[in-house]
Amino acid sequence: MDVEFTLDDIDQDAFNAAEAEILELMRTAAPNLDARRGTAIRDLLVRPAAQYFALDAARIAALRETFSLKLVEESPETADSETVDNLLANMAYVRKAGTKARGSVAFYTDELKNYYIPEAFTVEDSGQSSYLTEQNWTVRIDAVADPATEVQLTPVAGEEGKYVFVLPLVAENTGSSYAVQSGAALTMLSAQISGITSAEAYTDFTGGAAQEEIADALASLEASLSHRAFESQASITAKLQQDFASVYAVSAVGYANAAQLRDKHNLMGVAVGNKVDIYARTFRAPYLVLLNKTGTKISDGVYQFTLTPSEAAGFYRVRSIIAVGTTTEGVVLAEQPGIGSLAFTVARAAYGLSGTFHDFDPDNGAIETAFSAWQQAVITVSGVSSFVEDGQAVYPDTAVFKTEIYVPPDLLALQVAVDDATVRNQEADQVVRGAIPCFISLQATVYRLQSATVDLLEVADTLADYINSRDFNASLTVSQLSAIFHSFDIVRVALDSKSSAGMRLTGEITAADGTIIEISGDSLDISAVASPELLVSADTVVFAVDLRNIFLNEVIVAV
Amino acid sequence: MKHDISVSGQAGKSAAPTFLWLGSFWTTLYTDKAFIYAYCKGNGLAAAQLYLNFLEAVNSLSRQNIPIFHREVWLPLIIRLSQQNSGDKIAVGLDPAVYVGPQPEDTVYQAKKVYPVGGNVVRSGFTVYPIISERPVVDGVSRIASAIVSPEAVLLKGTHYFVQGGEIIFREDSDPFANPAFLRREIHDETTGVADEEILLWATDALVDLELIYNNYGYQLAFNPGSSEYGHDAVNALWDVRFKGANLTAVRRAMGALLDVPTTGVEQETVEDVVANADGSQTVITDTDVYTVAAAETIREEVVQGAVLEAGSFLSHTIHYYTKLDPARFEAGNRLPLSQFLLDMPMLQLPVGIAGNGVRNGLDAEWKATDITYNGDDANGNPKLSFKLGGAPADLVIFWQSIWDRAEDREESLADFFADFLWSTPPYLQIGIAVGSLNPMRFFMENFFKYNVGVAVVDFNALPEYVTSLSVFACLHRLLPAHAVLMTVAKQQVSDAVGFAVGEALDANYGKALSDAVPTVSEAGLQHRWVPRP
C-alpha cells in the first residue's frame, strides 16, 4: 500500500488552497495583517505551514480512502492489488488466485526403451505459451507397476517403429490464454531427451482462468460477509467459498423457487420447504475431463458404456467420443486428433438412490438427480469402424473410447462437505448440483486503423474472462461485450446481428432431461427460456465460454 | 447528533497555548506580538480541522461509530447573483411544501395553504441560491458570516436561512446580495462573456455528505440507504444479521431498521415511561434506550410503563411478523392472535414456486368454508376432487388436473386424502356435486405453510416518507434460510382518486395485483399487496 505522501506529492492547487485557508484564518486575529507575497510572514511562516497543512490533509484523506473499498477501487493512487487484498482480508475474503489450464500431451519416439521425464519438463505451443510436467515420470516398455508415477509406451497404429506415451501437463501460468487444442504441435523447450522426436497436445488444455478481478471479487464479497453455515444463500456461499477455492458462485434454490422440485413430493404437488439445491459454479471456463471408457458391443458398430458419478459427477454433456482401440490390442492411438466425434446418445438416470437420505422421486429420478452426485448415464456410441482380421470385418466385443465430458469440478467433495455431520443442516435436505452452463458462442467483426495494433487473441481472452466470471442471475448483452471491445484500440465493432459482420451471440443450455435449449440475440436472458421443471432458470444457469468458440474477424479501415 | 465528532478543548479555538509555548521572547519582548498571535491562531484553527478529519478517519473504522457526515469548521460557500431563485428545488422546509407544475389558482405562496398537485407559486419572502462548493453541503451550517475576520454580518440558521438539497434559502431581508456587509466580487465568464457577481460566505460547522456510511460499510453489501441516522442503523442491522445469523431477534431488528420502525435491542428491556408528544408521536423510555413512535404509527398495547419487552420487539403495529402459521398454536408462535393475522391477510397467496404443478401465475386461498366438488372418477375408479381457489382459470385447470393425474399414477384416492373434510364416502353419483367442505386457507396453513414460512405485513401508511418501498427487504432474503421463505405484504389505505385496473402493473415495487380476489386498487380502502420476492 502506497500512502507514503511527501511534499513532492502536494500539487499547486492543494498548496494554494491550504495557503489561502491559513491566511484567512490568521486574519481572524489580525484583520490588517500584511501578508502579501514577499513579506516575511507570508514567505517564512505561512507558506511553509501551508505545505505541511496540505501534506497532513493529503495523508489523512489517503488514510480515510484506504478504509473504504469503494474509494480504494476508484482511486488510481491507492488501488493497487495489495491494498485491495488487505481490505478484502478484513472482510474474510481472499481473491481467487486464478487457475492453470490442464491437459495431456502425446510424446512420440522411434526408440523402444524406458524413458525418464523429469518434473518441469516443458513444451511450448505456437503462441509461446508453456506447459510443463508437475512431477517425475517413468515411461516403461513393460507393465506399469505404479500408475501414479509410470506410464506405458505403446506402439502407434499403422506406423512401424513409432511409439507414443501420454503425460498430463499443466500450463506454466494462470489464465484462459493457455488453451492449446488437441492435435496442436508442441515444441520441447527442456533439454532434448534422446529418442523423443515430437510432441503434440493429446487433449484440449482447459480450466485456465485469470486471477479474480476486483469487480468480480466484489460480487462474491457480499456473501463472504456472513457467518458460515449451510443455511441461507449468503451463509452457504460463504461456507463453500471458505472451504473450496474452486467455488466461484453459489445459488441456493430453496423454498418457493419453481426450480426446486424435491419439496413437492406429496399428492398435492405443493411445496412444503426444507429442500435446498445448491448450485455451485466450480469452474470459470467450461471444464473438460478425458476418460478412456470401455464399451460393450450392442450390435455391429454400436457400443455402450456407463458414466458413473465417481467418474464424472454431475456432468453436463459429452463433448466428443473417439474410438481409440480395443482391449484385445491395448490402447492404441489409432485415430488422429482432428477427426470428429462418433455419433452417440446419452440416457441419463438416477444412481444409488437407495443408499442416500436425500429425497429424490424415483419416478422423476433422471431429472431430480441431474447435475448431482446421483446422476449416471448410459452412453450409446454408433458408427464405430470394424477392423479386418483374416479378411473379415470384425467388431470386437469391447472397444475403448476417448470420451471428453464437461463436468463441474469438485462436485463429489462438495456434496461430502454438505453432508458432513459436523456442519450439516439438521432441518434441510441439501443437494449440491453443478451450475448449469449456458455455452456461449460469439462471433464479431472488429474494425481497426492500419496504424493500430490489436491482439485478437488478447481481445478474445478478455471477452472469455468477462463471460466466465458472470454470476447467477446475470445478463449477457451485446452492449456489455461492446464495452470490452472498445477497451482495446478498436475503431468500432458492428453490433447489428442481421448484418453479415454483425455481432452474433448465442448460447446453448443442456436441460435436466438432456434436451438442448438455444438462446440468441442482443441480450441473452435466461429467464426468457426458463424451464424450471427441467431445472433451467436464472437461478441455476451461468454463462460459460470456451475460447475456441469466440470467433473474431478483423477489418482494417483507412479512417 | 450522536455520531458527530466534537473538537475537544480549546485547541482549535484559542491560540493562547501555542502562543505561550513559543517562549518569552515572542510573547513579551517581540514588539509585534499580535502578528505572532495571529499566526498561532491561524495554525491552530487549521490544525483543529485536521484533528477533526483524523478523528473522523479513526471513527470510520467502526461501523457503530462512523460519523454520518463530514464536518467542516469553516467552509467557504459561493452564491451567484445570476442564479438567484434558480436550482432544482424550491422547498424551504416549510409545511406544506410547494409543488411544481401548472398552477390553476393562487399565484402567491401562502403558508399553511394546501396546494393541489400542480402548484407553481411565485415565491415571496425568501430567496434561493444553489450553493457553489467543492463539497455537497447537506445541513448543519449553524452560522454564515461575511468573513472569518471580524465579520460585519452574521446570519443564523433557522432565523435567517435554511440549507436544503444543496441550496440555501434566505428569509426576507437576509439576502446577502441585499446586504452591503457581504462583499461582492465581479466575475466574468470567459466562455459566455456574461458578467456576474458572486459572494463568498463563510459557513461554520458545515456538514458535508461524503457518503461515509455507504463508502465504508454499505458498498460491500450493495446497499445505499443514504447518509442519515436511518441509513446508519439500517446498514448496521444488516451487518448484524450477517454476523449473527438469521435468528428471530436479528431479523426483527433488521426489518425494523430497514423500515425505520422502532424495535428494541438485543436484550430484554423494561419500559420506564411512555410520553405523548405535542406532534402526536410518543416517546418510549426503557431502561436501556429511548425510542420514538411516530405519529403515523400505532403503538402496541403491551408497550406500557413497567412492561418487559423481549429483544427485537416492535414497539408499534407498523410491522406484524408471523413465523409460525399453525392455526392450532398460532398465538403461542407469533404473540399475535389468529384473528389479527386474518385481518392482515384476507387470503393466502401460493406463488408459482409453492403452488407447483406447472401453474404460471400463482393461486390464492381464502379463509372461508368452501365446497369440495366431485369431478368424476379417474382410471382407477377414485374420485377427482377439487375445492375453490383463486387464480387464473388456466392455472386452476392445470393445478387440479396435475393433482388428479398424480393420484391416478400413484393409485391413491383423493377421498382418502380429504377424508376429514368429506360428508360421505365414494362412490359419488353426479359430477359437480359438493361432497364435503373445507377452508382452503386453513388447509394450506395446516398442511403446507405450518413451518418454513415467515410473513411480514407492513402498514405502508405508517412508514416514514423516506422509506418509499419494501424493496429494502431484498437485502434480507439472501440472509434467511434457503429452505424457508419470507413473504411480504404491504397494507395500505388507498384513495379512490388513484385508479388502477385489476391486474395492471402498479409500480416497479409491487408488480401486479395477483388475482381477481384482491380488492381492486381503484376502490378506496385498505389494500393488501404481495411484494414479490426478488
Side-chain angles (χ1 to χ4, degrees):
Chain A
M1 184 170 64
D2 182 17
V3 288
E4 296 298 319
F5 281 84
T6 67
L7 287 174
D8 293 338
D9 299 313
I10 304 304
D11 61 28
Q12 192 64 41
D13 287 343
F15 172 77
N16 290 344
E19 185 185 28
E21 194 161 345
I22 288 176
L23 275 174
E24 192 64 35
L25 292 169
M26 285 175 67
R27 289 197 174 103
T28 57
N32 300 318
L33 182 69
D34 181 2
R36 289 172 297 180
R37 288 294 302 272
T39 58
I41 190 135
R42 177 74 173 260
D43 290 351
L44 297 182
L45 296 179
V46 174
R47 287 175 68 79
Q51 287 180 354
Y52 286 105
F53 178 74
L55 178 61
D56 287 343
R59 282 174 171 163
I60 291 175
L63 181 69
R64 188 160 50 198
E65 266 186 19
T66 58
F67 298 161
S68 165
L69 192 62
K70 177 171 178 283
L71 297 181
V72 165
E73 193 192 0
E74 290 172 354
S75 165
E77 287 177 349
T78 53
D80 63 273
S81 194
E82 185 188 350
T83 305
V84 171
D85 285 341
N86 288 344
L87 267 175
L88 291 174
N90 287 342
M91 299 158 202
Y93 192 80
V94 178
R95 274 198 290 169
K96 300 281 187 300
T99 53
K100 296 178 179 179
R102 292 175 179 279
S104 299
V105 172
F107 293 91
Y108 293 91
T109 174
D110 50 14
E111 291 183 29
L112 184 62
K113 64 176 185 179
N114 290 341
Y115 290 91
Y116 172 75
I117 309 296
E119 181 183 345
F121 186 80
T122 307
V123 296
E124 184 183 79
D125 64 16
S126 58
Q128 297 187 321
S129 296
S130 298
Y131 308 84
L132 45 102
T133 54
E134 289 186 289
Q135 62 174 74
N136 301 327
W137 288 97
T138 302
V139 183
R140 306 188 68 91
I141 57 173
D142 50 3
V144 167
D146 179 9
T149 58
E150 298 174 352
V151 294
Q152 183 93 45
L153 185 67
T154 55
V156 177
E159 296 193 43
E160 191 72 24
K162 193 168 183 183
Y163 305 91
V164 66
F165 60 91
V166 178
L167 293 179
L169 268 72
V170 64
E172 183 182 29
N173 294 310
T174 59
S176 55
S177 60
Y178 292 83
V180 66
Q181 297 181 20
S182 64
L186 300 170
T187 307
M188 283 173 280
L189 292 184
S190 294
Q192 190 66 273
I193 294 176
S194 172
I196 299 181
T197 55
S198 63
E200 66 183 28
Y202 181 58
T203 63
D204 295 340
F205 275 69
T206 58
Q211 187 192 22
E212 193 171 20
E213 295 290 335
I214 294 175
D216 297 329
L218 286 173
S220 302
L221 175 64
E222 183 265 345
S224 179
L225 297 169
S226 168
H227 68 299
R228 277 87 166 113
F230 292 118
E231 184 187 74
S232 66
Q233 163 77 49
S235 66
I236 291 171
T237 307
K239 175 74 180 152
L240 291 180
Q241 290 195 327
Q242 173 186 273
D243 295 347
F244 291 88
S246 59
V247 174
Y248 290 94
V250 171
S251 173
V253 173
Y255 194 22
N257 192 310
Q260 174 50 258
L261 307 180
R262 298 186 306 115
D263 68 355
K264 301 180 179 72
H265 292 168
N266 55 68
L267 192 58
M268 291 283 285
V270 174
V272 294
N274 281 81
K275 305 285 185 351
V276 181
D277 291 349
I278 301 170
Y279 288 80
R281 179 169 194 155
T282 53
F283 56 91
R284 279 290 173 92
Y287 190 79
L288 274 174
V289 295
L290 174 71
L291 295 176
N292 279 329
K293 292 291 297 181
T294 301
T296 305
K297 187 173 79 171
I298 303 300
S299 61
D300 284 352
V302 179
Y303 291 78
Q304 204 169 65
F305 58 86
T306 302
L307 283 178
T308 63
S310 61
E311 296 170 317
F315 80 91
Y316 307 118
R317 64 161 70 168
V318 176
R319 180 170 177 247
S320 70
I321 298 177
I322 298 171
V324 292
T326 70
T327 51
T328 52
E329 293 179 322
V331 177
V332 178
L333 291 177
E335 307 286 346
Q336 291 301 308
I339 293 177
S341 172
L342 292 164
F344 59 87
T345 60
V346 179
R348 296 165 191 260
Y351 173 89
L353 295 192
S354 60
T356 178
F357 65 86
H358 293 290
D359 185 8
F360 297 102
D361 178 5
D363 292 337
N364 197 26
I367 288 173
E368 291 200 0
T369 61
F371 318 121
S372 79
W374 289 273
Q375 172 191 246
Q376 69 171 353
V378 174
I379 313 291
T380 304
V381 187
S382 55
V384 180
S385 303
S386 60
F387 66 91
V388 178
E389 188 176 80
D390 298 333
Q392 297 282 320
V394 175
Y395 292 95
D397 292 339
T398 60
V400 177
F401 298 93
K402 174 183 163 185
T403 309
E404 286 185 314
I405 311 157
Y406 287 112
V407 299
D410 290 340
L411 189 87
L412 281 181
L414 284 166
Q415 187 65 60
V416 169
V418 168
D419 288 345
D420 182 349
T422 61
V423 290
R424 182 172 129 199
N425 189 308
Q426 295 182 69
E427 301 160 356
D429 169 357
Q430 298 178 326
V431 165
V432 182
R433 300 179 197 271
I436 303 171
C438 175
F439 290 101
I440 296 298
S441 176
L442 171 66
Q443 180 182 324
T445 300
V446 298
Y447 297 80
R448 70 164 173 89
L449 294 176
Q450 189 148 22
S451 54
T453 305
V454 176
D455 182 346
L456 287 185
L457 192 59
E458 190 185 350
V459 176
D461 226 17
T462 309
L463 289 166
D465 279 339
Y466 177 80
I467 294 169
N468 289 329
S469 62
R470 297 303 88 198
D471 204 338
F472 293 90
N473 286 297
S475 64
L476 188 63
T477 65
V478 163
S479 57
Q480 288 169 344
L481 300 178
S482 173
I484 294 174
F485 279 111
H486 288 296
S487 65
F488 292 87
D489 205 357
I490 288 171
V491 178
R492 67 184 176 90
V493 53
L495 297 182
D496 182 8
S497 59
K498 290 173 185 165
S499 81
S500 59
M503 197 186 302
R504 286 189 174 77
L505 190 59
T506 59
E508 272 189 8
I509 306 164
T510 303
D513 66 349
T515 57
I516 303 293
I517 297 173
E518 293 186 353
I519 182 171
S520 62
D522 292 344
S523 175
L524 301 190
D525 179 7
I526 302 299
S527 302
V529 295
S531 184
E533 67 280 6
L534 297 177
L535 304 184
V536 174
S537 81
D539 295 321
T540 65
V541 174
V542 294
F543 296 108
V545 69
D546 198 320
L547 206 54
R548 87 195 66 222
N549 290 327
I550 296 178
F551 307 98
L552 300 181
N553 302 313
E554 186 179 45
V555 175
I556 298 170
V557 292
V559 179
Chain B
M1 197 175 287
K2 67 182 181 184
H3 302 291
D4 275 359
I5 301 166
S6 60
V7 180
S8 61
Q10 295 296 308
K13 298 179 181 174
S14 169
T18 323
F19 184 60
L20 290 174
W21 291 339
L22 292 178
S24 57
F25 173 77
W26 298 103
T27 57
T28 55
L29 298 178
Y30 188 63
T31 54
D32 204 352
K33 291 193 284 290
F35 200 60
I36 299 302
Y37 192 84
Y39 172 73
C40 293
K41 183 152 192 173
N43 267 338
L45 285 170
Q49 183 64 54
L50 281 178
Y51 176 63
L52 207 59
N53 294 353
F54 177 69
L55 284 187
E56 198 172 276
V58 171
N59 278 284
S60 297
L61 286 172
S62 161
R63 63 183 168 94
Q64 300 289 355
N65 296 334
I66 186 169
I68 295 169
F69 297 116
H70 169 70
R71 190 166 153 224
E72 292 277 350
V73 180
W74 287 100
L75 183 69
L77 308 177
I78 293 173
I79 55 174
R80 289 202 175 136
L81 186 60
S82 63
Q83 296 176 349
Q84 190 178 64
N85 288 331
S86 67
D88 296 333
K89 297 176 183 173
I90 57 169
V92 293
L94 303 176
D95 187 18
V98 184
Y99 293 88
V100 178
Q103 175 67 21
E105 57 180 5
D106 296 329
T107 55
V108 176
Y109 173 79
Q110 298 169 37
K112 300 292 184 188
K113 176 170 176 56
V114 176
Y115 286 84
V117 172
N120 181 15
V121 295
V122 172
R123 292 175 296 277
S124 83
F126 56 94
T127 310
V128 184
Y129 295 94
I131 295 173
I132 300 173
S133 173
E134 288 184 358
R135 295 180 158 180
V137 180
V138 287
D139 196 2
V141 178
S142 59
R143 290 184 299 277
I144 287 178
S146 57
I148 297 177
V149 186
S150 304
E152 291 184 33
V154 175
L155 305 178
L156 301 178
K157 177 185 175 186
T159 304
H160 300 109
Y161 67 88
F162 298 93
V163 174
Q164 195 173 75
E167 294 174 0
I168 187 164
I169 302 107
F170 293 99
R171 285 192 187 277
E172 202 167 7
D173 299 332
S174 299
D175 182 358
F177 279 103
N179 186 343
F182 289 92
L183 295 180
R184 303 178 182 203
R185 191 164 72 97
E186 288 189 358
I187 58 171
H188 186 79
D189 190 314
E190 292 179 359
T191 314
T192 61
V194 176
D196 200 353
E197 291 182 18
E198 70 178 22
I199 291 177
L200 186 145
L201 309 171
W202 283 99
T204 60
D205 287 330
L207 297 184
V208 176
D209 187 4
L210 298 183
E211 296 192 299
L212 295 173
I213 294 170
Y214 173 64
N215 286 348
N216 287 277
Y217 296 104
Y219 181 61
Q220 297 90 323
L221 307 180
F223 178 55
N224 189 357
S227 299
S228 62
E229 285 280 349
Y230 158 68
H232 176 274
D233 293 346
V235 166
N236 269 292
L238 278 183
W239 280 77
D240 283 343
V241 178
R242 288 180 168 275
F243 291 148
K244 296 173 183 171
N247 61 65
L248 189 55
T249 297
V251 171
R252 280 184 179 149
R253 281 176 51 74
M255 284 181 178
L258 289 169
L259 300 182
D260 211 4
V261 170
T263 312
T264 58
V266 295
E267 302 288 345
Q268 183 175 281
E269 295 180 30
T270 303
V271 178
E272 294 186 343
D273 204 356
V274 179
V275 181
N277 302 316
D279 64 356
S281 66
Q282 295 182 75
T283 301
V284 178
I285 304 166
T286 74
D287 54 344
T288 58
D289 215 334
V290 176
Y291 306 92
T292 300
V293 178
E297 297 186 85
T298 306
I299 196 167
R300 291 214 182 204
E301 296 73 19
E302 63 266 31
V303 182
V304 293
Q305 192 173 26
V308 177
L309 305 174
E310 68 177 51
S313 293
F314 298 122
L315 299 185
S316 71
H317 281 291
T318 306
I319 302 174
H320 287 165
Y321 185 39
Y322 304 94
T323 57
K324 298 283 184 282
L325 300 193
D326 181 358
R329 290 179 287 276
F330 199 89
E331 190 153 357
N334 299 293
R335 291 183 298 169
L336 286 167
L338 179 60
S339 57
Q340 180 63 53
F341 180 69
L342 296 177
L343 284 174
D344 284 339
M345 300 272 300
M347 63 183 57
L348 196 65
Q349 192 214 16
L350 283 69
V352 171
I354 290 181
N357 295 297
V359 303
R360 292 181 171 275
N361 298 297
L363 303 171
D364 302 320
E366 281 187 276
W367 187 274
K368 189 166 104 182
T370 183
D371 290 344
I372 297 177
T373 307
Y374 170 61
N375 301 278
D377 289 338
D378 64 17
N380 303 317
N382 291 316
K384 296 193 282 188
L385 303 177
S386 66
F387 54 82
K388 187 183 175 190
L389 291 170
D395 271 352
L396 291 169
V397 170
I398 291 170
F399 181 77
W400 287 112
Q401 189 61 52
S402 299
I403 292 171
W404 298 335
D405 291 347
R406 191 178 299 108
E408 186 176 281
D409 289 346
R410 296 182 179 187
E411 298 183 11
E412 292 182 41
S413 172
L414 286 171
D416 296 336
F417 191 76
F418 292 117
D420 292 345
F421 306 101
L422 298 181
W423 300 324
S424 59
T425 54
Y428 304 119
L429 301 177
Q430 187 181 347
I431 290 176
I433 61 165
V435 297
S437 177
L438 170 152
N439 177 328
M441 184 167 165
R442 184 179 189 106
F443 174 79
F444 281 107
M445 286 170 68
E446 285 177 337
N447 291 282
F448 300 104
F449 282 20
K450 193 185 289 185
Y451 305 109
N452 297 326
V453 175
V455 179
V457 181
V458 179
D459 181 355
F460 210 74
N461 295 105
L463 294 179
E465 60 186 12
Y466 44 83
V467 179
T468 55
S469 86
L470 299 187
S471 60
V472 288
F473 272 13
C475 308
L476 272 181
H477 286 290
R478 287 170 56 81
L479 308 176
L480 297 174
H483 56 274
V485 68
L486 168 65
M487 297 181 173
T488 312
V489 176
K491 201 170 64 170
Q492 187 172 17
Q493 288 287 347
V494 176
S495 160
D496 57 2
V498 181
F500 295 96
V502 173
E504 280 186 359
L506 300 179
D507 61 38
N509 297 318
Y510 296 106
K512 294 183 175 182
L514 290 165
S515 88
D516 293 338
V518 176
T520 60
V521 181
S522 58
E523 296 170 2
L526 188 64
Q527 309 293 320
H528 297 78
R529 297 185 292 187
W530 290 90
V531 182
R533 186 176 171 172

